[in-house]
Amino acid sequence: MAKEMIAMLLAGGQGSRLYALTKNLAKPAVPFGGKYRIIDFPLSNCVNSGIDTVGILTQYQPLVLNEYIGNGQPWDLDRLYGGVHVLPPYQKAQGSDWYKGTANAIYQNIPFIERYEPEYVIILSGDQICKQDYSEFLDFHKEKKAEFSVAVMEVPWEEAPRFGLMVTDDNDKITEFQEKPKEPKSNLASMGIYIFNWDVLKKYLEEDEADPNSENDFGNNIIPNMLQDGRDMYAYHFEGYWKDVGTIASLWEANMEVLDPEGSGLNIFDENWKIYSRNSGKPGHRIDAEATIEDSLITDGCRIHGLVKHSILFSGVTIESGAVVEDAVIMGGATICKGATVSHCIIAENVVVGPGAEVGVMPKRGKEGGVATIGANVKIGAGAIIGPDAMVENDVKEGTTL
Amino acid sequence: MISSNSDALGIIFTNTYDSTIPELTARRSMASLPFAARYRLIDFVLSGMVNGGIDNVSLMVRENYLSLLDHLGTGKEWDLSRKNGGLNIIPPFANRATSIYSGRVDAINNILNFLKGQKEKYVVISDSNVVSNVDFKDVIKFHIEKEADITIVYRKDKVLNVDTQSIMDNNENYFTIDLDGTRVTGMNINPEPKRAAQNASINIYVMDRQMLIDEVTKAYRNGFTHFERDIFANNIEDYNIQAYEYKGYEARIMSIKDYFDESMRLIDEKNLDELFGHAPMRTKVRDDAPTRYLKGCRVDNVMAADGCVIEGEVENSVLFRGVRVGKGAKVKNSILMQDTEVKPGAEVSYVITDKDVTIGANKQLAGTDSFPVFVAKGKTV
């Protein structure tokens, strides 16, 4: 029985610009939004769009990700035929390869895709926060009788040179592709989400693999090659929320945008488009009589005694009395001890910020201080001071100033 | 046997003591009563059994079990969706007359063939109205070490004020035990309430499977209906009946006042840790987003689940999943079950709302400490 469309999710990225946060886990496994990981967004989008077969291409630090995905049950992707499959590179009779590039990762999994005889394959990225109905995207693809469609966002012209840009005609047909050009001819940025007719993609993957000079990359090789051959390629305008969370600043910003769904358009509270995640299994959270809390998200297992303002707390976070938390993202199991202050920062899982310590500084008007980041399991000693922009990967002794 | 498994199967009665809280069990069983912000009572004993290595659990459901079935699904949330054993739901059956069976003897007699076909040496029997984190593995170990025929789990407790008539009408009872060391020497069925601490059974028993089959067969043949009175109490001399003292956290629900008090008691962090700090308690996942506390909210001493949106004031209360408290609304000393909505400006105090209740804008509703107001499922005030 053939599947009309299956999804291939590129989750191999190391996420080197997230530094301490991705030391021991792949970028798609980075926690986000209080009880999710980044990969919950594309996976939930798949299920909500009616896609029940997803291949996840992993290669960097897959342990946490593998365990998290498990049999796919939290996303309703434990299926008899289809479901979610983690696809690491594997050894073959003749040699074995790491995934050399995004296109090569798909190429190496042609046998997986062929099992489902799909008409279309959607390529997704595991490092974006986006709520998108892929079935609407497919409707567009079919309506245009396209062989390739790419989801695009309009970006401000001054930012356009940072993106892969699609130049289109009046009918959304792509006439030219510019990868990070100095002089952009378009402000339609590729979101890295593609729909291909499978027979066409397969042909190009095989040709690309045969080319020894290719980087085996969608943006640099496959898409330009198809364009050169005059294939039917279209740009699909997406107007919802989309953010590449590949940097500390953008990851922090996207978390803050969760707090303002009305303003940002990133609404994780929509009952009709739920984001699913693996449950922590912790009891309800508790807000103490001495606590003050506003404009924040709190989830299971948290204990709040101090002040929490405009922040996101993941499961099992403890804020002791007298601690002050502002504009902060605090991941699962972290403890902010008595009298500590954490602001404008990302604190990873199981961090302990000692009594009276200070992490991050609220940016003053006109003087932008960056987001401070504390890596997983780090202990910040009592009274230590960690300034803005800091990236802390090791324990910090009592009283130290960084 | 791998030592992380137990050589025991579980039997849980889901409807015992329903009659003590008629308001809350009008449309559900005791087992599916929402408790502690995101759980149902069944979650505690079921998680406890799974944590104790028991992976073959039968639920004896009797009445109003639709909400329980919905909650349990295939049992996968408790890791009980298995090829061998797993969750086994035994629907009610009519006895000789047209009424549904009553009492444990009758119920277990109905599943004798099932019990005969199982492989586990021991059977652990429990109700679902006691919230605890009993270490079932330790209880079974105790049972084996004491070479017991029957082990009764008890806790030193004051005897509760129970409506004995209503539970006796259902061939149910509660009892305390007299002890010589760990050996049970006497049983007091439905005793008068006393202030002093008693050895109160929490109705968790361990027996040999074969012995359970034999005793129930015998009792049924003789027309006995009371499991504890007719099987345990009658055999105190002949059998080695042992008592295992449970010293951990306990919440026993046998009246709506108990339900209110025990819910409130869990807001205390120390109690929360005592109940949840040892082993994971599993429940049905609802995939709510985290709870949103908006600008201008005031929250003091509250336990809440995910999916709530809080704009008003909440004090000394328990909020289940998806509760909304509007701007200017005040919630005090209350328990608001799933998806209760308190509209802007409304005030509630000493109130228990069932699921999907709406308190209209600027409405006021107040009970008292000893008599909380209850609003039934789906109602609008």
Side-chain angles (χ1 to χ4, degrees):
Chain A
M1 203 172 57
K3 302 267 184 197
E4 185 180 25
M5 180 159 83
I6 71 167
M8 297 298 276
L9 178 56
L10 298 166
Q14 186 179 345
S16 52
R17 287 173 303 159
L18 292 177
Y19 307 95
L21 297 180
T22 48
K23 209 164 118 186
N24 295 310
L25 76 175
K27 187 154 66 165
V30 169
F32 181 84
K35 60 184 293 190
Y36 310 97
R37 293 181 188 264
I38 294 170
I39 198 167
D40 289 330
F41 285 76
L43 283 181
S44 301
N45 287 342
C46 280
V47 172
N48 291 336
S49 305
I51 298 172
D52 65 5
T53 306
V54 184
I56 301 181
L57 302 142
T58 63
Q59 114 173 333
Y60 173 80
Q61 292 282 13
L63 185 68
V64 174
L65 192 59
N66 283 348
E67 191 189 352
Y68 186 68
I69 299 299
N71 67 350
Q73 185 249 316
W75 305 270
D76 212 9
L77 284 171
D78 50 336
R79 304 289 175 103
L80 288 179
Y81 177 58
V84 66
H85 297 265
V86 177
L87 305 169
Y90 58 94
Q91 218 158 19
K92 299 161 195 73
Q94 294 186 334
S96 62
D97 270 319
W98 291 102
Y99 293 146
K100 289 178 284 182
T102 50
N104 177 256
I106 306 294
Y107 171 81
Q108 290 200 36
N109 286 288
I110 287 176
F112 170 81
I113 297 171
E114 299 260 271
R115 289 171 63 158
Y116 301 101
E117 303 167 48
E119 204 167 330
Y120 308 101
V121 173
I122 185 165
I123 310 289
L124 302 170
S125 165
D127 50 11
Q128 304 173 346
I129 299 298
C130 180
K131 287 178 67 180
Q132 186 182 359
D133 187 339
Y134 304 138
S135 69
E136 287 178 6
F137 185 15
L138 181 62
D139 289 344
F140 168 89
H141 181 83
K142 288 196 238 177
E143 197 183 300
K144 295 289 183 190
K145 298 193 169 52
E147 293 170 301
F148 164 91
S149 299
V150 54
V152 295
M153 291 272 295
E154 270 184 46
V155 295
W157 279 96
E158 63 272 18
E159 285 181 31
R162 288 175 40 221
F163 293 92
L165 303 172
M166 300 293 161
V167 186
T168 62
D169 67 11
D170 293 345
N171 192 28
D172 297 325
K173 187 164 180 180
I174 300 168
T175 54
E176 193 182 338
F177 173 63
Q178 294 184 300
E179 179 68 23
K180 296 183 183 144
K182 282 203 184 97
E183 287 171 20
K185 292 185 194 168
S186 159
N187 67 338
L188 298 177
S190 163
M191 292 159 58
I193 299 175
Y194 318 122
I195 293 180
F196 287 94
N197 290 5
W198 172 235
D199 54 346
V200 176
L201 175 59
K202 191 181 166 195
K203 175 181 175 302
Y204 278 87
L205 288 175
E206 284 168 347
E207 285 174 12
D208 179 63
E209 190 62 19
D211 176 1
N213 298 320
S214 173
E215 293 164 52
N216 307 116
D217 184 80
F218 277 106
N220 293 335
N221 308 103
I222 303 286
I223 295 170
N225 290 348
M226 286 180 71
L227 206 55
Q228 206 168 23
D229 293 351
R231 293 281 178 173
D232 290 319
M233 304 171 76
Y234 287 84
Y236 171 71
H237 293 252
F238 176 72
E239 275 160 8
Y241 181 93
W242 176 82
K243 184 163 259 168
D244 180 332
V245 287
T247 65
I248 293 290
S250 64
L251 180 67
W252 177 84
E253 202 174 275
N255 271 289
M256 291 300 120
E257 281 165 345
V258 172
L259 290 171
D260 178 26
E262 293 83 6
S264 70
L266 174 54
N267 183 6
I268 60 166
F269 309 97
D270 183 359
E271 285 288 305
N272 298 318
W273 200 271
K274 273 193 179 184
I275 305 300
Y276 300 98
S277 65
R278 198 171 278 281
N279 194 268
S280 74
K282 292 200 163 70
H285 64 264
R286 188 183 171 284
I287 314 277
D288 195 78
E290 58 180 340
T292 307
I293 184 163
E294 71 166 42
D295 206 6
S296 294
L297 287 187
I298 313 288
T299 188
D300 291 337
C302 289
R303 305 285 175 85
I304 316 294
H305 292 263
L307 184 148
V308 179
K309 203 172 155 188
H310 199 253
S311 294
I312 295 193
L313 274 49
F314 289 66
S315 76
V317 167
T318 302
I319 309 295
E320 295 186 355
S321 63
V324 176
V325 174
E326 190 173 1
D327 280 7
V329 177
I330 304 184
M331 296 178 185
T335 302
I336 312 301
C337 298
K338 284 191 166 64
T341 303
V342 298
S343 35
H344 198 60
C345 62
I346 298 178
I347 296 196
E349 290 165 301
N350 305 317
V351 165
V352 177
V353 176
E358 287 176 31
V359 174
V361 177
M362 290 297 286
K364 291 194 184 75
R365 204 178 279 271
K367 241 177 99 182
E368 285 290 313
V371 176
T373 308
I374 313 292
N377 305 313
V378 167
K379 287 184 174 50
I380 306 288
I385 296 174
I386 313 290
D389 286 312
M391 175 63 64
V392 181
E393 297 185 43
N394 300 308
D395 290 359
V396 175
K397 284 209 185 85
E398 233 179 279
T400 321
T401 300
L402 282 182
Chain B
M1 198 181 63
I2 310 276
S3 69
S4 46
N5 303 329
S6 285
D7 194 10
L9 63 90
I11 296 177
I12 301 173
F13 288 87
T14 62
N15 292 75
T16 23
Y17 307 119
D18 273 7
S19 59
T20 61
I21 45 164
E23 304 90 336
L24 293 166
T25 54
R27 292 167 74 174
R28 63 167 73 84
S29 59
M30 179 66 89
S32 58
L33 181 60
F35 188 70
R38 61 188 294 271
Y39 300 91
R40 307 273 184 148
L41 289 186
I42 186 80
D43 294 334
F44 296 89
V45 59
L46 207 51
S47 300
M49 285 188 176
V50 171
N51 292 335
I54 299 170
D55 60 6
N56 178 1
V57 181
S58 295
L59 302 190
M60 310 295 290
V61 304
R62 188 162 170 258
E63 289 166 314
N64 281 334
Y65 52 87
L66 201 62
S67 78
L68 182 63
L69 294 192
D70 175 58
H71 179 69
L72 295 169
T74 59
K76 66 183 173 187
E77 312 276 15
W78 299 266
D79 207 10
L80 283 174
S81 176
R82 303 287 186 88
K83 290 200 169 176
N84 298 307
L87 192 66
N88 178 25
I89 294 167
I90 305 199
F93 59 96
N95 61 11
R96 300 165 291 282
T98 48
S99 65
I100 298 175
Y101 72 86
S102 78
R104 292 181 216 272
V105 172
D106 218 5
I108 295 175
N109 185 64
N110 182 52
I111 59 163
L112 284 182
N113 279 334
F114 164 78
L115 286 176
K116 284 173 189 166
Q118 300 306 299
K119 61 182 190 330
E120 288 83 353
K121 183 163 167 42
Y122 305 103
V123 177
V124 179
I125 299 172
S126 175
D127 288 332
S128 42
N129 69 316
V130 174
V131 170
S132 74
N133 52 27
V134 169
D135 181 346
F136 284 92
K137 184 162 280 179
D138 201 48
V139 178
I140 295 163
K141 189 171 145 230
F142 172 92
H143 180 82
I144 296 168
E145 277 171 7
K146 296 285 178 184
E147 294 176 344
D149 294 310
I150 298 164
T151 296
I152 297 171
V153 181
Y154 73 100
R155 196 175 181 284
K156 286 205 163 58
D157 225 337
K158 67 176 171 34
V159 170
L160 306 153
N161 217 344
V162 180
D163 177 1
T164 44
Q165 193 56 51
S166 75
I167 62 172
M168 279 157 67
D169 287 347
N170 289 293
N171 283 341
E172 290 162 5
N173 51 50
Y174 70 102
F175 64 95
T176 62
I177 48 182
D178 304 325
L179 291 174
D180 178 10
T182 56
R183 173 84 193 249
V184 177
T185 55
M187 282 175 62
N188 319 295
I189 310 255
N190 296 333
E192 287 295 312
K194 282 182 201 162
R195 284 200 165 273
Q198 305 283 301
N199 301 323
S201 163
I202 61 173
N203 295 9
I204 291 172
Y205 316 125
V206 183
M207 290 174 81
D208 262 47
R209 180 169 52 87
Q210 192 52 49
M211 183 186 181
L212 177 67
I213 294 167
D214 295 344
E215 286 301 321
V216 166
T217 307
K218 209 158 64 185
Y220 189 75
R221 200 174 290 146
N222 292 330
F224 293 157
T225 50
H226 283 67
F227 191 76
E228 293 83 358
R229 187 189 67 194
D230 299 334
I231 296 179
F232 293 179
N234 269 349
N235 289 305
I236 283 183
E237 304 290 322
D238 306 331
Y239 290 150
N240 177 17
I241 304 184
Q242 291 284 327
Y244 174 97
E245 187 184 359
Y246 169 64
K247 292 176 179 163
Y249 193 86
E250 180 209 27
R252 188 193 297 244
I253 315 294
M254 290 183 91
S255 67
I256 195 152
K257 177 81 167 58
D258 287 345
Y259 178 77
F260 185 79
D261 292 346
E262 292 297 347
S263 297
M264 290 301 171
R265 198 154 72 92
L266 268 180
I267 300 175
D268 187 292
E269 210 158 287
K270 205 174 120 267
N271 294 330
L272 206 54
D273 283 338
E274 259 194 75
L275 178 58
F276 291 98
H278 308 275
M281 297 294 179
R282 302 291 176 188
T283 188
K284 183 184 178 188
V285 171
R286 230 182 71 154
D287 293 297
D288 288 281
T291 284
R292 266 181 100 184
Y293 292 94
L294 297 172
K295 278 200 182 81
C297 73
R298 253 197 57 198
V299 187
D300 284 346
N301 207 33
V302 164
M303 172 159 68
D306 275 352
C308 301
V309 181
I310 313 299
E311 263 189 287
E313 289 180 28
V314 188
E315 199 184 321
N316 297 329
S317 295
V318 177
L319 310 181
F320 284 75
R321 294 183 274 204
V323 165
R324 281 156 293 161
V325 178
K327 213 172 197 158
K330 285 183 182 158
V331 175
K332 266 189 185 174
N333 305 310
S334 292
I335 299 162
L336 310 183
M337 291 187 198
Q338 298 94 301
D339 301 312
T340 291
E341 182 170 9
V342 182
K343 298 264 193 193
E347 292 184 21
V348 299
S349 110
Y350 292 107
V351 165
I352 301 172
T353 62
D354 209 316
K355 286 174 72 174
D356 299 316
V357 163
T358 305
I359 309 289
N362 304 313
K363 290 279 184 292
Q364 297 192 350
L365 192 62
T368 67
D369 185 12
S370 55
F371 199 81
V373 169
F374 174 74
V375 185
K377 187 173 169 180
K379 294 274 187 268
T380 299
V381 176

